[in-house]
Amino acid sequence: MDFGDYRRHDAVGLAELVARREVSAQELLDAAVARMDTVNPQINAVTLDLRERARAEPAHSGPFGGVPFLLKDLGAALAGTPTTAGSRLFADAVAQADSALTAAYEDAGLAIFGKTNTPEFGLWPMTESEFLGVCRNPWDLSRTPGGSSGGAAAAVAAGIVPAAHASDGGGSIRTPASCCGLFGMKPSRGRVSFAPLGEGWAGASIQHAVTRSVRDSAALLDVACRPQPGDPYFLAPPAEPFVEDAAREPGRLRIAFTTAAMQSDGLDPECEAAVRETARLCEQLGHNVEEAKIPGDVAAMQAAAGAVIAASIAATLDAEAERRGRPIEAGEIDAPTMATYRRGQGVSAAAYVRGLQALHAYARAEARLFETYDVLLLSTLGSPAIRIGWILEDPKQIAERLFAFMPNTQAFNNTGQPAMTVPLAWSRSGLPIGMQFVARMGDEATLFRLAGQLERARPWFDRTPPL
């Protein structure tokens, strides 16, 4: 199978070819590996090569039987391989067993042949760790692919795989999907188990995937919905498969939209224009669309999330220091991570609890909007993909630049609602601009139905980077 044939199909389509014996699983893996060898030296998306492990695996069955797949090097354990979380500190942290999500992927027949780049501990909306190196955007090698699932998105956009595992604690699925012209769904809290690990960032983080097609995202979420005993957050699998929702019409939805930048001063003009154009598109598709104001105390939410995340990082690193019997020293983790660690060590137990209470208060305020509307539309990011190095190059402006780039994603990690980015717009320079849609807690079905409708109305599958 040559690259042109390989790239013409999404993951569901490739699995159908294998099931009909029109192509073998080995041929698919060879095509994926060949593409990786061609483009990865330029983008640094895949940081652990597991091709030989994949080739030694037995024949694949299941709904994704034989489809090549990549795991993010954060949050999902694969037995016998390290999960570094983008940090030299965990370079030798070899997993003894698969995590629940990895087991679900393998049971579905996915052929895992590598792990993808991520910033240290998934802390940043760009992928530039000292340990794993800079990951570049296939649309423009001077730009970031986003983060923290930047390696996953770069690999999918560059055609190495049609879909890849990703996770999202503050926008880490939606940000790179927007930067790379992909579909990215952050599921509801409790939809995908983190077992055997604890929930990431007090339940803000959720795992799923970045994909080129809507149906791939829906079908992958179907196989990932396997609640485990003792999960602290729990949503039962849907009564009907999400992949069927992706093919259904959504009906007439009540859609609120805003051109606000929730955590910064404003959107890039091209992003603002894209929101208004997408609102018009939704209206043309028959939906009731109104401009609305988002409720809730964003500043309190942002401060609380910062404290909770920093405390979570401190807990991880303190546990590692205790395990090895000596403290974490400067130089063992990146300098910005060390700053977060120090901040987290100063968060008291009472401050942590107050942070959680503030996040819950924000979620309750946000939920009121969805008593009136089915869906909220807003820009995924504050701008198209930024230049590599821009956020960290001036220590005095890190926070300002961080939220100028990602003003609209973190809120919905803290509410736990499902949120997706859809590649519906492009900048004058040819960079993708994702549009974000948010629904009620547990209502991925509505988002998948709307996404399928938008995909049919404004197809993006064949729009690929020049790399």
Side-chain angles (χ1 to χ4, degrees):
M1 171 176 269
D2 65 24
F3 175 64
D5 289 336
Y6 177 69
R7 198 173 203 170
R8 271 194 288 273
H9 300 277
D10 63 1
V12 171
L14 291 176
E16 290 171 348
L17 293 180
V18 174
R20 294 196 299 265
R21 298 187 179 181
E22 294 179 25
V23 67
S24 69
Q26 187 61 55
E27 287 175 300
L28 292 187
L29 181 59
D30 288 345
V33 167
R35 182 60 176 170
M36 178 174 70
D37 288 344
T38 298
V39 300
N40 202 54
Q42 300 174 71
I43 60 175
N44 191 33
V46 183
T47 51
L48 181 62
D49 188 336
L50 298 172
R51 70 181 74 187
E52 297 308 322
R53 183 186 188 279
R55 283 174 174 150
E57 290 291 299
H60 300 279
S61 59
F64 287 101
V67 175
F69 197 68
L70 296 165
L71 287 182
K72 181 179 178 180
D73 196 10
L74 174 70
L78 179 65
T81 70
T83 303
T84 74
S87 178
R88 63 178 68 85
L89 197 65
F90 294 109
D92 300 318
V94 175
Q96 301 303 306
D98 290 345
S99 62
L101 180 58
T102 305
Y105 285 153
E106 292 189 314
D107 288 347
L110 291 163
I112 298 169
F113 71 101
K115 291 193 175 184
T116 58
N117 204 339
T118 184
E120 194 165 46
F121 305 124
L123 280 172
W124 300 98
M126 67 288 185
T127 302
E128 302 172 16
S129 81
E130 293 177 9
F131 177 58
L132 295 180
V134 171
C135 184
R136 298 181 180 276
N137 192 324
W139 289 93
D140 180 341
L141 297 179
S142 71
R143 305 276 174 165
T144 183
S148 64
S149 305
V156 174
I160 297 173
V161 285
H165 165 248
S167 61
D168 191 320
S172 291
I173 286 173
R174 289 158 290 157
T175 297
S178 180
C179 288
C180 293
L182 305 175
F183 179 76
M185 169 73 78
K186 180 196 79 68
S188 300
R189 179 179 298 147
R191 183 66 74 192
V192 179
S193 176
F194 261 90
L197 302 175
E199 299 303 295
W201 295 356
S205 186
I206 184 73
Q207 301 189 80
H208 184 34
V210 289
T211 64
R212 286 176 64 205
S213 73
V214 173
R215 72 170 182 174
D216 274 358
S217 183
L220 281 166
L221 191 54
D222 284 330
V223 304
C225 291
R226 302 207 311 193
Q228 301 297 303
D231 280 348
Y233 304 104
F234 173 90
L235 284 176
E240 297 180 346
F242 288 129
V243 73
E244 294 181 6
D245 286 309
R248 291 191 178 109
E249 291 297 318
R252 184 178 176 85
L253 299 175
R254 298 168 299 169
I255 299 178
F257 82 93
T258 179
T259 59
M262 299 172 67
Q263 292 175 262
S264 73
D265 293 335
L267 300 177
D268 177 282
E270 290 189 296
C271 291
E272 180 175 344
V275 172
R276 295 195 181 280
E277 174 56 31
T278 301
R280 285 192 290 271
L281 171 61
C282 290
E283 200 165 44
Q284 291 165 8
L285 291 171
H287 303 296
N288 182 21
V289 181
E290 298 177 356
E291 192 162 6
K293 184 177 180 180
I294 302 175
D297 187 338
V298 173
M301 177 274 292
Q302 182 175 321
V308 168
I309 291 169
S312 299
I313 294 299
T316 296
L317 293 175
D318 282 348
E320 175 60 16
E322 182 178 344
R323 183 197 68 79
R324 69 185 195 174
R326 55 188 175 85
I328 308 298
E329 303 287 351
E332 291 188 285
I333 55 178
D334 294 356
T337 307
M338 180 60 80
T340 302
Y341 180 29
R342 297 302 184 212
R343 178 189 177 189
Q345 288 180 311
V347 176
S348 69
Y352 183 83
V353 171
R354 288 196 300 271
L356 292 180
Q357 291 170 338
L359 296 180
H360 295 159
Y362 182 79
R364 291 182 185 279
E366 190 74 18
R368 289 198 294 269
L369 182 71
F370 293 86
E371 293 178 345
T372 303
Y373 300 102
D374 301 306
V375 172
L376 170 64
L377 160 66
L378 67 170
S379 182
T380 305
L381 297 176
S383 72
I386 55 174
R387 174 174 51 82
I388 286 170
W390 180 71
I391 286 180
L392 297 177
E393 68 185 7
D394 184 344
K396 294 180 180 179
Q397 296 188 47
I398 287 175
E400 179 182 346
R401 291 185 177 192
L402 174 72
F403 289 110
F405 182 47
M406 50 159 286
N408 289 340
T409 54
Q410 186 182 47
F412 308 108
N413 293 87
N414 296 322
T415 65
Q417 294 168 262
M420 66 180 183
T421 184
V422 186
L424 293 174
W426 307 83
S427 73
R428 287 185 296 273
S429 61
L431 293 174
I433 298 174
M435 292 290 98
Q436 183 174 205
F437 297 84
V438 186
R440 298 181 187 90
M441 182 70 175
D443 193 16
E444 289 92 339
T446 291
L447 292 183
F448 278 127
R449 290 171 185 169
L450 177 58
Q453 183 185 53
L454 293 168
E455 185 179 38
R456 292 186 290 274
R458 295 286 189 274
W460 61 78
F461 189 84
D462 292 329
R463 193 159 188 170
T464 55
L467 188 67

